[in-house]
Amino acid sequence: MTQTPADSVEQDLTYADMWFDPACPWAWITSRWLLEVEKVRPVRVRWHVMSLSVLNEGRDLSQGYRDMLDRAWAAVRVCVAAEQHAGPEALGPLYTALGTRFHNNAEPTTEETIRAALVEAGLPEDLIAAGRSTDYDEALRASHSEAMKLVGEDVGTPVVQVEDVAFFGPVITPIPRGEEAGRLWDGVRLVAGVDGFFELKRTRTRGPIFD
């Protein structure tokens, strides 16, 4: 059988799997970096859900952060419902629509905002009902657990896996663009591929920057 150019490109691709919660600003920046990487490296991103609300269950948290986590359930439940309705390919456009509203536009994490994101992503508006239901929580927890099994319980979102290596992060701001995004990808893959490498970190001195 003759191989087409499209077949050849597909074989050359590296897949990056990212787990996200739409409410997390740091995951949002990482996700936009990965989309930049797709432009300059033979990489394709596959999206999965995890949950800050699940991650922080039972922890001693400030009331303000606890209130944020209570509001965060709706969007991630809707993401799971969208994936089950339209397949995993629906997650990327929906995440983009949600994240742009939550982070770039600073819109509230309300049903009105989530409904607008569903419409933009070409998904049925009635999926909004999933945000008020626990029907999708089993699938949400299973996806979240998959991420935690890859990296351990002492990290958060985002989680990124490339081939057989998974890591928390990178946590970055602002969003690297173009070849700068590609160089960061190259470096992250290099250190993540070293057996026994676990952590490289410094204190954050700025908040998330959305551009």
Side-chain angles (χ1 to χ4, degrees):
M1 180 181 294
T2 302
Q3 186 179 61
T4 67
D7 292 334
S8 179
V9 170
E10 189 73 20
Q11 288 179 4
D12 291 339
L13 281 173
T14 295
Y15 289 92
D17 291 274
M18 177 176 161
W19 281 259
F20 68 91
D21 184 321
C24 179
W26 298 104
W28 174 245
I29 292 176
T30 301
S31 74
R32 300 310 94 180
W33 161 66
L34 284 173
L35 292 182
E36 288 289 312
V37 172
E38 283 190 331
K39 300 174 185 178
V40 295
R41 297 290 187 271
V43 170
R44 182 171 297 166
V45 184
R46 298 183 293 203
W47 307 101
H48 311 269
V49 292
M50 61 184 298
S51 171
L52 288 172
S53 303
V54 173
L55 181 71
N56 287 283
E57 284 178 328
R59 296 185 180 181
D60 185 18
L61 304 167
S62 69
Q63 188 58 50
Y65 193 68
R66 175 59 61 192
D67 291 343
M68 184 279 291
L69 293 177
D70 289 342
R71 294 190 299 270
W73 280 105
V76 75
R77 284 168 169 164
V78 168
C79 284
V80 175
E83 181 180 18
Q84 292 191 7
H85 172 79
E89 63 275 7
L91 281 178
L94 179 57
Y95 183 27
T96 291
L98 286 167
T100 300
R101 285 169 170 76
F102 291 166
H103 306 299
N104 295 67
N105 301 344
E107 296 179 34
T109 55
T110 60
E111 282 199 357
E112 181 180 359
T113 303
I114 298 170
R115 182 179 287 108
L118 284 166
V119 172
E120 181 182 333
L123 292 162
E125 288 185 59
D126 60 8
L127 290 175
I128 193 69
R132 297 180 238 109
S133 170
T134 59
D135 290 349
Y136 296 92
D137 285 9
E138 183 177 353
L140 168 58
R141 289 177 182 276
S143 183
H144 178 90
S145 178
E146 183 181 3
M148 294 295 95
K149 287 177 182 177
L150 292 171
V151 293
E153 297 292 337
D154 58 341
V155 299
T157 176
V159 169
V160 177
Q161 182 182 32
V162 184
E163 297 169 343
D164 60 346
V165 178
F167 47 87
F168 162 63
V171 177
I172 46 178
T173 193
I175 304 162
R177 303 289 186 182
E179 185 56 27
E180 182 183 11
R183 289 195 299 270
L184 177 57
W185 169 259
D186 298 339
V188 167
R189 287 206 68 189
L190 178 65
V191 297
V194 175
D195 182 50
F197 178 86
F198 294 105
E199 189 170 359
L200 181 68
K201 188 174 182 178
R202 62 176 178 165
T203 300
R204 281 176 278 180
T205 58
R206 68 182 83 165
I209 299 170
F210 314 119
D211 55 343

